[in-house]
Amino acid sequence: MKGGGGTGDGKRDYQAAVHEGLTTFDQLGIALEDVGKSLDSETATAGGGFLSRVILRFRNENSSLKGKSFDLSNDIVNMSVVPAESSYVLFFQVLFPFVVAGLGMVFAGLVLSIVVTWPLFEEIPEILILVPALLGLKGNLEMTLASRLSTLANLGHMDSSKQRKDVVVANLALVQVQATVVAFLASAFAAALAFIPSGEIDWAHGALMCASSLATACSASLVLSLLMVVVIVTSRKYNINPDNVATPIAASLGDLTTLSVLAFFGSVFLKAHNTESWLNVIVIVIFLLLLPFWIRIAKENEGTRETLYNGWTPVIMSMLISSAGGFILETAVRKYHSLSTYGPVLNGVGGNLAAVQASRLSTYFHKAGTIGQLPNGWTVSRFTSFQRAFFSKEWDSRSARVLLLLVVPGHICFNFLIQLFTITSKNNVAPHGPLFTSLYMIAAIIQVMILLFVCQLLVSLLWKWKIDPDNSVIPYLTALGDLLGTGLLFIVFLTTDHFDPKELTSS
């Protein structure tokens, strides 16, 4: 009898469990029906907030889930807008443009080490202050343009020929406006920094720096911007995420092109300075007169009009930060000539990798939420965690780790090329040895980790403040990369010189 009673109780328990399970599924069906009814009205808002309410309702109606807590800010993510590529795909998509960018920066460093011995830099050494600011234009303008166009392409706003024409023309005009203003201010700031040690301003030198800066910025930006358009349209055509390739390619040719153009125009204007100094003033006036024309074209597009009115703070602030790096560079190159070879490489790699991450994060935020409201119910404090940024399972943390993996092997290859190209040079043999190489790698890792951490924090912060990160983040990151890179590189040279000067014998 006891055995039979036990069997009956077990059968009743089984039936009760089945009934509770069916009831649970029925409640889940009601909750999912609510989702279907509310999708249209909730599409414009962050997915996390709505899904959170559905899960909370389901939990409260289901007795077996009462009392259990969910970390909704971390667990609820709109997976439809998360970048679909795996770590391997991301690695190989970034690898080729990263290597090409590195080669461009290696050659830029070699060009800089050569041109600093030209009469232009010897007669007007303060023009070195301009170098980081002008090289930073790739972050201020071209890489920001690449990020902006990549987002538009991923959102499908460049699929038709009319859309492409409107977007491209307006953005090219906007870049010319930004290049003109930034170049003019950079030359004025360089002249002000040159005033500090000497106590007097050479107006002829100032006119030469301004003319060289304007000609370099406007011409180099036009060429690089056209290249960015071709890269993004081609990437979109072949189903390659432009976020992964556009910004590295902008960096690959940005430094080399800008330095070469600066050396060319600076030398031409130096001759004018020595013979017909008024020609430099004419060049300045021509570029300034073109400014209203570019402004008028840029105002015709809604997106560029917004940037034209409200996008100046990051551009100008990053120019000031880069110019501070230029002040350090001028001092450092006087003491260690070969530092000029490594500067563009160290600075460029850090800014390049951080720009890839910024572009990917910005695209995700545009897809996942409304500007001013963080996706998935997140708060800015979520992005202050160093552990979350680099050691969590989230997609952006995984991207950061992939990008960090490129730092050491990338710099080993680039430094080998520098050694190879300078081995026959008597005046610019690159430093070598275990101490210098170890310190250099440590500096590179520190720089990139700081930039990647600042990147994810800055994107979320600016998004919360209703500032489009496509227009603002990369200028800050590349400028901070220039300042950190130049400062850390100077420390590496000073430390190596203190403990083992033989490694810098030829510096």
Side-chain angles (χ1 to χ4, degrees):
M1 295 294 293
K2 289 181 181 178
T7 302
D9 292 341
K11 186 175 181 180
R12 283 193 298 272
D13 291 341
Y14 172 77
Q15 290 174 339
V18 171
H19 182 268
E20 184 177 354
L22 291 173
T23 303
T24 300
F25 276 111
D26 184 55
Q27 292 168 349
L28 179 59
I30 294 172
L32 291 176
E33 197 173 323
D34 288 345
V35 174
K37 291 178 180 178
S38 305
L39 274 177
D40 291 338
S41 60
E42 296 284 348
T43 299
T45 63
F50 179 67
L51 291 175
S52 300
R53 292 196 298 274
V54 173
I55 285 181
L56 287 173
R57 173 179 171 178
F58 178 61
R59 184 192 68 185
N60 291 333
E61 292 180 355
N62 184 357
S63 59
S64 64
L65 296 178
K66 284 184 178 179
K68 292 189 177 181
S69 62
F70 295 86
D71 187 356
L72 297 175
S73 64
N74 291 326
D75 296 337
I76 306 302
V77 178
N78 190 348
M79 297 301 295
S80 65
V81 295
V82 170
E85 64 266 18
S86 66
S87 297
Y88 298 105
V89 173
L90 171 62
F91 178 83
F92 286 110
Q93 283 192 2
V94 173
L95 180 61
F96 175 72
F98 174 76
V99 171
V100 174
L103 292 175
M105 290 177 284
V106 167
F107 286 113
L110 295 172
V111 168
L112 181 59
S113 67
I114 294 171
V115 298
V116 292
T117 62
W118 287 12
L120 171 66
F121 290 89
E122 291 183 347
E123 292 185 29
I124 310 176
E126 57 265 31
I127 206 167
L128 263 176
I129 301 174
L130 275 178
V131 170
L134 292 178
L135 296 186
L137 285 177
K138 73 177 186 298
N140 276 336
L141 308 182
E142 286 82 32
M143 293 171 78
T144 301
L145 172 68
S147 177
R148 192 162 57 239
L149 294 183
S150 294
T151 297
L152 291 173
N154 282 325
L155 293 175
H157 295 166
M158 292 181 64
D159 290 344
S160 71
S161 57
K162 185 180 185 305
Q163 285 178 316
R164 283 195 296 271
K165 180 182 176 182
D166 293 342
V167 168
V168 168
V169 171
N171 275 277
L172 289 178
L174 174 64
V175 167
Q176 288 301 301
V177 174
Q178 293 174 322
T180 303
V181 174
V182 171
F184 184 83
L185 293 177
S187 59
F189 191 63
L193 289 177
F195 169 80
I196 295 175
S198 64
E200 57 183 32
I201 296 179
D202 189 327
W203 293 104
H205 283 189
L208 170 60
M209 287 195 295
C210 188
S212 302
S213 181
L214 285 169
T216 299
C218 293
S219 56
S221 294
L222 179 61
V223 172
L224 293 170
S225 298
L226 289 171
L227 177 63
M228 285 305 92
V229 172
V230 173
V231 168
I232 289 168
V233 172
T234 305
S235 299
R236 181 71 174 170
K237 181 178 179 181
Y238 291 100
N239 294 321
I240 298 173
N241 187 350
D243 281 327
N244 296 337
V245 298
T247 50
I249 291 177
S252 68
L253 296 177
D255 288 350
L256 181 59
T257 303
T258 303
L259 271 176
S260 301
V261 173
L262 174 63
F264 171 75
F265 280 119
S267 299
V268 171
F269 295 147
L270 178 62
K271 294 180 180 179
H273 166 73
N274 294 329
T275 55
E276 305 290 340
S277 59
W278 56 271
L279 288 175
N280 290 333
V281 178
I282 295 297
V283 171
I284 296 171
V285 171
I286 290 174
F287 278 105
L288 294 180
L289 288 176
L290 285 172
L291 192 58
F293 172 73
W294 299 124
I295 291 175
R296 182 178 178 181
I297 296 176
K299 288 171 65 176
E300 293 178 359
N301 180 273
E302 182 180 353
T304 53
R305 183 167 60 248
E306 173 66 21
T307 305
L308 185 66
Y309 291 151
N310 302 315
W312 289 105
T313 300
V315 172
I316 294 174
M317 287 301 297
S318 61
M319 181 272 296
L320 295 176
I321 296 171
S322 293
S323 297
F327 192 65
I328 298 174
L329 178 65
E330 183 193 16
T331 304
V333 169
R334 287 178 181 176
K335 187 173 179 65
Y336 304 109
H337 174 263
S338 58
L339 184 144
S340 61
T341 308
Y342 287 95
V345 178
L346 185 63
N347 297 350
V349 167
N352 183 358
L353 295 176
V356 171
Q357 184 78 330
S359 186
R360 290 166 60 82
L361 281 168
S362 181
T363 296
Y364 171 76
F365 275 46
H366 275 284
K367 286 184 174 181
T370 304
I371 193 164
Q373 181 179 356
L374 294 177
N376 312 313
W378 293 339
T379 61
V380 173
S381 61
R382 175 181 183 274
F383 297 91
T384 60
S385 169
F386 185 85
Q387 181 179 358
R388 192 218 67 82
F390 294 103
F391 304 108
S392 70
K393 296 181 180 179
E394 297 179 35
W395 70 268
D396 61 313
S397 178
R398 172 172 53 84
S399 300
R401 292 194 294 271
V402 171
L403 296 174
L404 273 173
L405 283 175
L406 292 167
V407 175
V408 172
H411 275 297
I412 289 175
C413 294
F414 302 147
N415 287 6
F416 172 76
L417 290 175
I418 291 174
Q419 299 285 341
L420 187 64
F421 287 121
T422 59
I423 196 169
T424 59
S425 174
K426 294 181 179 179
N427 298 323
N428 185 36
V429 178
H432 57 278
L435 178 61
F436 175 81
T437 303
S438 300
L439 292 174
Y440 183 91
M441 294 301 165
I442 292 171
I445 293 171
I446 291 173
Q447 179 209 33
V448 174
M449 290 194 76
I450 291 174
L451 290 177
L452 289 176
F453 180 77
V454 171
C455 170
Q456 49 96 43
L457 178 60
L458 196 57
V459 169
S460 63
L461 196 61
L462 293 178
W463 185 268
K464 184 68 175 178
W465 291 345
K466 297 184 178 181
I467 300 173
D468 189 350
D470 272 329
N471 298 326
S472 306
V473 174
I474 292 179
Y476 284 123
L477 291 176
T478 53
L480 181 60
D482 289 343
L483 183 60
L484 282 173
T486 305
L488 288 170
L489 188 58
F490 195 18
I491 293 172
V492 168
F493 271 78
L494 289 171
T495 307
T496 305
D497 193 22
H498 178 75
F499 289 102
D500 193 356
K502 292 181 180 180
E503 293 192 7
L504 303 176
T505 301
S506 56
S507 298

